[in-house]
Amino acid sequence: SRLEGAFPICIRALQMCMHETYMDCPYYEQLMYVGDTRLEILATYALTRDDRLPRKAIEMFGESRLTRGLTRSSYPDWQDQIIPPFSLWWVCMLHDYSLWRDDLEFVRKHLPGARGVLDHFWNCIAKDGKEAGLLRCPEGWPFTDWTTAGWVFGIPPDAYRGFSGIINWHLVYTLERAAELEDAAGEPELAKLNRRRAATLAKAVDAAFWNEDSGLYADELSHERYSEHAQCLALLSGHMPQEKISKVKDGLFSNERLARTTIYFMHYLFEACRTLKCTVRIFDLLGLWFGLKANGFRTTPEAPEPSRSDCHAWGAHPFYHAFATLAGVRPAAPGFSQVIIEPQPAHLGQIRLELPHPKGTIRLNLAFSSGKAKGSISLPAGVGGVFRFGGREVELAGGREISL
């Protein structure tokens, strides 16, 4: 009932920020920012099969790229503001599209732009000195989140033209997604290049930022400050050494020294909860959303109080996570040609949903008890998949209802 109460607020915020383009908010800047838009698009995929705005966003940010390779942070816009991490999120936005929609030619069209972004970042890798092998943050505003724990204007420690653990892990994360894009486009050599770069950088980042005493990755080379952001991106990159995962899991939810994510970056914290298979934590984190209606909100705010904007659609991402994380429905192959359904319902006893798919509708009606799932699943015709829960794996065929 708490989720059902929060969904209309998430959807209303998304609607208010969908015009001829997406936008961060309908009152202040009224601009389409990359970081906001990636999360708005993911919520859109869970809401409708209409992908005109996602396509337009990818197109426009691709057109916004400057000669040095990076996208503008917002577009269309009269100023050339650069937020380097947002250029990486644009590459991830293209990767999302390649999974959720079946249009390989559209993806191929924008791959040169994605390569340009990554080439610019790779050219910022230090070649000598004690920081050799690490990313020196590209020039621009390295906004990451509206965290207030010692961050100034959303900038992580040492992120302004320095060596930030957060931004370094962000590049590793993005290189892996770029590799999957290249595989989908039939460019295995470029996929291998991205994976080699990701592995090389991850090794350097692990050596430079890991702190054994705390069992966490530091935000800067001095190991004085730590954040949820660094741990999330390290986990999601796929390159965290296996023996360190349990330590990071413990610290992520218990270490009081960590700078906390706010509404925007909580999306990546929710993703980390999914990776760690501890989605019960998500319900603790959703307290802000559960309290919105009682506090008079009809849309999602930009950040916890004091907040400037009371309508910021990056806060709609819990709607996406209800489908993709709690119910566990995600693309398992490019073009959504295969589906993986791997629920992590936490304490929920039942999940019923309909998720729009390019070829029809995915339907779930599942009940959970004693670590087992019973119910039914149906996929569109021509779409295969697999269901996993409680150590059980069931092959799914499209075009008919499967009873569990």
Side-chain angles (χ1 to χ4, degrees):
S1 59
R2 291 187 300 168
L3 284 171
E4 289 176 344
F7 287 163
I9 295 176
C10 292
I11 293 171
R12 182 58 176 165
L14 186 63
Q15 291 170 331
M16 292 295 290
C17 296
M18 297 170 76
H19 298 267
E20 72 275 16
T21 67
Y22 290 101
M23 57 180 60
D24 62 331
C25 56
Y27 183 77
Y28 288 99
E29 294 100 333
Q30 301 181 5
L31 292 173
M32 183 168 66
Y33 281 91
V34 180
D36 308 56
T37 301
R38 187 198 182 198
L39 306 193
E40 291 165 357
I41 289 176
L42 288 173
T44 300
Y45 292 150
L47 187 64
T48 174
R49 65 180 54 86
D50 187 336
D51 56 21
R52 287 173 294 175
L53 273 183
R55 290 170 60 88
K56 187 173 184 180
I58 294 168
E59 288 268 12
M60 297 191 78
F61 286 127
E63 293 293 333
S64 81
R65 290 176 59 243
L66 303 174
T67 54
R68 57 181 166 136
L70 299 185
T71 65
R72 292 173 173 86
S73 63
S74 59
Y75 199 76
D77 191 358
W78 63 269
Q79 61 182 345
D80 293 341
Q81 183 193 68
I82 301 297
I83 299 178
F86 278 19
S87 293
L88 294 179
W89 290 135
W90 177 70
V91 177
C92 297
M93 190 189 301
L94 183 62
H95 175 262
D96 297 336
Y97 183 88
S98 76
L99 289 174
W100 287 85
R101 293 295 181 264
D102 185 14
D103 191 346
L104 185 56
E105 289 309 308
F106 181 83
V107 173
R108 285 196 177 110
K109 175 183 175 182
H110 293 286
L111 266 174
R115 293 166 189 152
V117 168
L118 294 174
D119 284 345
H120 180 88
F121 270 83
W122 199 252
N123 286 333
C124 295
I125 299 291
K127 304 300 189 296
D128 49 35
K130 64 180 181 179
E131 297 91 1
L134 295 174
L135 170 70
R136 182 187 292 277
C137 299
E139 185 177 352
W141 174 26
F143 171 84
T144 298
D145 191 14
W146 286 125
T147 302
T148 57
W151 294 22
V152 178
F153 211 51
I155 301 174
D158 285 0
Y160 187 73
R161 301 295 292 148
F163 296 91
S164 161
I166 295 171
I167 309 298
N168 271 266
W169 277 121
H170 192 172
L171 179 56
V172 177
Y173 171 94
T174 307
L175 284 165
E176 280 296 329
R177 276 131 195 87
E180 293 180 6
L181 279 169
E182 298 291 3
D183 277 335
E187 298 290 351
E189 294 84 1
L190 293 175
K192 289 179 182 178
L193 172 64
N194 283 322
R195 290 194 174 99
R196 185 171 68 248
R197 286 178 168 179
T200 299
L201 179 58
K203 184 177 180 180
V205 176
D206 177 70
F209 293 97
W210 176 254
N211 185 283
E212 186 63 31
D213 291 338
S214 65
L216 296 167
Y217 288 100
D219 287 349
E220 79 283 74
L221 293 174
S222 64
H223 290 202
E224 295 177 5
R225 288 178 284 182
Y226 299 81
S227 67
E228 290 180 338
H229 310 71
Q231 318 317 313
C232 290
L233 290 174
L235 281 163
L236 297 175
S237 74
H239 282 271
M240 181 186 293
Q242 190 68 30
E243 67 275 11
K244 295 177 180 175
I245 292 178
S246 61
K247 295 180 180 180
V248 167
K249 180 179 180 180
D250 291 341
L252 183 60
F253 299 116
S254 64
N255 194 309
E256 296 181 357
R257 296 177 60 189
L258 292 178
R260 302 299 176 187
T261 56
T262 67
I263 292 172
Y264 162 57
F265 214 91
M266 274 188 180
H267 165 75
Y268 302 100
L269 181 55
F270 289 3
E271 289 284 272
C273 289
R274 171 181 176 268
T275 299
L276 294 170
K277 299 188 183 304
C278 58
T279 54
V280 67
R281 296 283 185 175
I282 290 178
F283 286 88
D284 299 331
L285 298 165
L286 283 172
L288 182 145
W289 282 268
F290 293 153
L292 289 176
K293 186 174 181 180
N295 287 321
F297 285 89
R298 295 297 177 263
T299 51
T300 56
E302 181 176 7
E305 295 292 355
S307 178
R308 177 189 60 166
S309 169
D310 287 348
C311 184
H312 234 74
W314 65 18
H317 64 76
F319 182 77
Y320 164 80
H321 283 286
F323 291 85
T325 300
L326 300 179
V329 183
R330 298 197 180 210
F336 220 160
S337 59
Q338 293 287 316
V339 180
I340 176 73
I341 301 177
E342 198 168 11
Q344 293 191 41
H347 61 264
L348 296 179
Q350 189 169 24
I351 292 178
R352 296 190 303 270
L353 66 80
E354 293 187 356
L355 177 69
H357 183 282
K359 293 185 177 180
T361 303
I362 298 171
R363 293 182 172 87
L364 269 69
N365 188 351
L366 299 175
F368 304 94
S369 179
S370 302
K372 297 181 180 180
K374 293 183 179 180
S376 62
I377 298 173
S378 64
L379 304 181
V383 179
V386 63
F387 170 81
R388 295 189 188 125
F389 185 79
R392 181 186 182 194
E393 184 168 309
V394 179
E395 293 292 328
L396 304 174
R400 62 189 181 92
E401 184 174 275
I402 306 293
S403 296
L404 300 173

